[in-house]
Amino acid sequence: MSAACYVCGSIELAADADLRSPTCEDCRPARDHVVSMQNGLGGAPLAVCPCGWRYQSGDKAGHLFRDVAVRAHWRAMIAASAEQVAA
């Protein structure tokens, strides 16, 4: 089984990548945004990031939308990090 970046799927991993949750060099900023699952209002699944970002899907069947939202959050944080470096 080969490891791939959990954000973009690249097999070119960062040298210090943790193989339990690997990232490539470009996706390194996502490491600071470990999303955990909690129970939200009415017991609906709630994704929570330490930075304050949250996403609540309506029910357990909304997991695909949640996964897309989490990946979009990571990509936004990667883009924001790249903008800070460029400035």
Side-chain angles (χ1 to χ4, degrees):
M1 180 174 129
S2 62
C5 175
Y6 67 87
V7 178
C8 71
S10 172
I11 59 170
E12 299 283 328
L13 299 177
D16 63 344
D18 180 344
L19 295 182
R20 292 170 293 170
S21 55
T23 60
C24 66
E25 196 63 42
D26 292 340
C27 296
R28 181 182 293 271
R31 292 181 186 178
D32 294 333
H33 297 272
V34 177
V35 175
S36 64
M37 293 306 302
Q38 300 176 9
N39 289 325
L41 296 174
L46 175 67
V48 179
C49 182
C51 74
W53 176 88
R54 295 169 168 255
Y55 178 84
Q56 184 166 354
S57 55
D59 56 26
K60 290 182 180 180
H63 71 279
L64 295 177
F65 295 113
R66 181 195 63 231
D67 291 351
V68 169
V70 169
R71 281 189 162 50
H73 170 62
W74 287 334
R75 288 189 176 107
M77 296 301 98
I78 292 164
S81 177
E83 288 175 9
Q84 288 176 352
V85 170

